[in-house]
Amino acid sequence: MNDQISSGDDRTSSGLRPAMRPRHLVMMSLGSAIGAGLFVGSGAGIAAAGPAVLVSYAIAGLIVIAVMRMLGEMVAADPNPGAFSYYAGKALGPSTAFAVGWLWWITLCLVVAAEATAAAQILAGIVPLFPQWIYALVFMVVFTWINLWGVKNFGEFEFWFSFIKVAFVVLFLILGVAFLLGWTPADSPGLTHVASGLMPNGISGIAAGLLVVVFAFGGIEIVAVAAAETAQPEKSIATATRTIVWRILLFYMGSVGIMVLALPWDDPDLLQSPFVAVLNTAGLPVLGAIIGFIIVAALLSSLNANMYGASRMYFSLAQRGMAPQRTGRLNDRAVPAAGVWMSVAFGFVAVLLNYLWAEAVLGMLLNLVGSTLIATWLAAIISHLILRTRAERAGQHLPLKMWLFPYLSWATLAALVAVIVLGFTVPDVRSQLLATLGLYVALFIAGRIVTARIAPRHTAG
């Protein structure tokens, strides 16, 4: 395989080929956060806040929209597969870039292993033809091959996976509205389930719900990584970030709104499987039965996207001298093959762990990096504040701009800090925040040592 880049190739400045189409990026932005957080986690949010969980989703959604707009501004001005790590390097220095990049990469490698395990567990329960570990192995082999095949093919697979998730949520919204209007076999509950009160657990319930739902949006930031391999990244990222607004309003708040109208907020079935509970209540148990396959598809979509994101982050780190540079080469398909293999390695180890104690090991490791999402968003916001200020002082043209700068940027930072402070009041969340902080500090110190040995041009972004 030829690792050299021919001068005639249409490549980006990093050597990657911009073969992903704008529709791939847009659909990825639509489907990136539609996963277990919505299909399963939404029930936990309702249990914490009751119908007022919609307020929690609104607050978390506004934070996500603002963060993505800030990322979109930086991506449109300077697309790079290192995304928030690359921008952190430009704004805050190479040690921060090293820590943010490696923290996100480690997290995605663990998440890939967890998603392969979870998808295998669910599918083995629905179709018990093979042991769980065989399903996990098949998933890892197939999606490693997809990611080695080329970015265009990855984009096409992710497009259709995201389409399946989006189509199901749209169908759920239609059927949910039909149920509430009395057009399904079961009788409509009307507004009886919210008549007793919208805030059964008060303000504290909304706060608890916020801590649950804010992590449901993890994965959206991968769009900033993918934009570097998309034709016309300025236009594509602008379109993708705009779709986030109505996606959150329609998909998340629409689905959760139907749930709290269809069933009592404290119904245990909502906590276990909210989509199945609503469809069964609506007199549509056949459709409820297929939700297991939809969740498997959602997990595999995230598995595919996270393999891709991890490989590109590793590639960017290698290009900037923060990982072994010889592992940052591209094959003849313009794919960072070494980055792919490095990123899937733990997923294959997880196949072996399925024999023994996969859930315990993965649970412990995921707890260590459970708050990486918060660290990534913090890095993106702070980097944006610094880089936008520099750009304005230099009179630089920006193809996409954050709204109401700097006021909305500072307000978003304050809101995210408030979420962190709130998290320290909850023991489980506090342990995740402290573990992630400890890992970040260790990586930052390592970054100081590593980046001190390499030329500034490799680390400055």
Side-chain angles (χ1 to χ4, degrees), residues 24-25 88 117 120-121 126 131 136 143 148 172 200 214 258 287 293 313-314 381 395 397 406 432 448-449 451:
H24 294 154
L25 191 68
T117 298
Q121 287 174 341
I126 299 173
F143 286 98
L148 290 170
F172 175 81
V214 73
I258 287 172
L287 290 173
F293 292 103
M313 181 59 74
Y314 185 93
I381 296 170
H397 169 71
Q432 286 190 5
R448 296 276 292 195
I449 298 170
T451 57

Side-chain angles (χ1 to χ4, degrees), residues 73-416:
E73 178 184 300
M74 294 185 287
V75 169
D78 188 10
N80 186 279
F84 27 86
S85 168
Y86 173 75
Y87 306 130
K90 293 176 67 176
L92 299 165
S95 299
T96 303
F98 183 98
V100 171
W102 278 108
L103 181 63
W104 196 72
W105 182 81
I106 292 169
T107 300
L108 260 61
C109 291
L110 296 175
V111 170
V112 163
E115 287 167 339
T117 298
Q121 287 174 341
I122 294 171
L123 191 57
I126 299 173
V127 187
L129 296 177
F130 304 102
Q132 175 184 316
W133 71 270
I134 291 182
Y135 284 115
L137 178 62
V138 170
F139 294 154
M140 290 302 303
V141 169
V142 169
F143 286 98
T144 299
W145 172 71
I146 289 172
N147 276 268
L148 290 170
W149 195 13
V151 68
K152 182 178 179 181
N153 297 294
F154 157 80
E156 199 64 31
F157 272 92
E158 191 59 25
F159 175 89
W160 288 108
F161 267 119
S162 294
F163 180 83
I164 292 171
K165 293 188 291 185
V166 170
F168 178 80
V169 173
V170 171
L171 176 62
F172 175 81
L173 292 172
I174 294 171
L175 293 175
V177 171
F179 169 52
L180 296 175
L181 293 175
W183 297 345
T184 64
D187 294 331
S188 171
L191 300 177
T192 56
H193 297 315
V194 296
S196 58
L198 297 176
M199 297 173 56
N201 295 326
I203 298 295
S204 61
I206 294 176
L210 179 61
L211 287 174
V212 173
V213 304
V214 73
F215 292 101
F217 295 106
I220 292 179
E221 70 279 356
I222 207 167
V223 176
V225 174
E229 289 182 271
T230 306
Q232 298 180 307
E234 301 91 345
K235 294 182 179 179
S236 299
I237 195 67
T239 303
T241 53
R242 279 196 301 269
T243 63
I244 289 172
V245 177
W246 65 263
R247 176 190 66 193
I248 289 174
L249 291 175
L250 178 63
F251 291 166
Y252 269 87
M253 298 188 70
S255 297
V256 174
I258 287 172
M259 292 171 192
V260 298
L261 289 171
L263 288 164
W265 68 271
D266 55 354
D267 190 312
D269 290 339
L270 275 179
L271 184 60
Q272 183 175 3
S273 186
F275 280 78
V276 173
V278 172
L279 292 171
N280 287 343
T281 302
L284 302 168
V286 175
L287 290 173
I290 69 170
I291 189 63
F293 292 103
I294 300 299
I295 293 175
V296 169
L299 288 167
L300 294 181
S301 172
S302 297
L303 172 70
N304 190 36
N306 287 328
M307 276 188 184
Y308 167 83
S311 67
R312 268 46 177 189
M313 181 59 74
Y314 185 93
F315 168 71
S316 176
L317 290 167
Q319 277 205 324
R320 290 176 282 155
M322 299 178 187
Q325 290 185 311
R326 68 175 60 186
T327 62
R329 297 175 180 174
L330 299 170
N331 63 18
D332 56 359
R333 294 179 180 270
V335 172
V340 173
W341 285 113
M342 291 291 291
S343 301
V344 303
F346 189 75
F348 281 101
V349 172
V351 173
L352 177 62
L353 295 181
N354 271 280
Y355 273 126
L356 306 171
W357 13 254
E359 290 184 36
V361 172
L362 290 176
M364 179 184 67
L365 293 173
L366 286 172
N367 187 68
L368 181 66
V369 294
S371 299
T372 299
L373 174 67
I374 299 293
T376 300
W377 288 1
L378 275 177
I381 296 170
I382 296 170
S383 299
H384 165 261
L385 283 164
I386 295 172
L387 296 178
R388 174 66 178 270
T389 301
R390 287 181 190 170
E392 292 193 344
R393 287 176 180 171
Q396 178 185 347
H397 169 71
L398 297 173
L400 182 68
K401 290 185 177 182
M402 173 62 179
W403 310 292
L404 300 175
F405 180 82
Y407 309 108
L408 186 54
S409 299
W410 281 109
T412 305
L413 179 60
L416 193 57

Side-chain angles (χ1 to χ4, degrees), residues 414-435:
L416 193 57
V417 170
V419 171
I420 295 171
V421 172
L422 184 63
F424 273 100
T425 66
V426 180
D428 289 343
V429 178
R430 180 170 62 244
S431 66
Q432 286 190 5
L433 289 168
L434 290 173

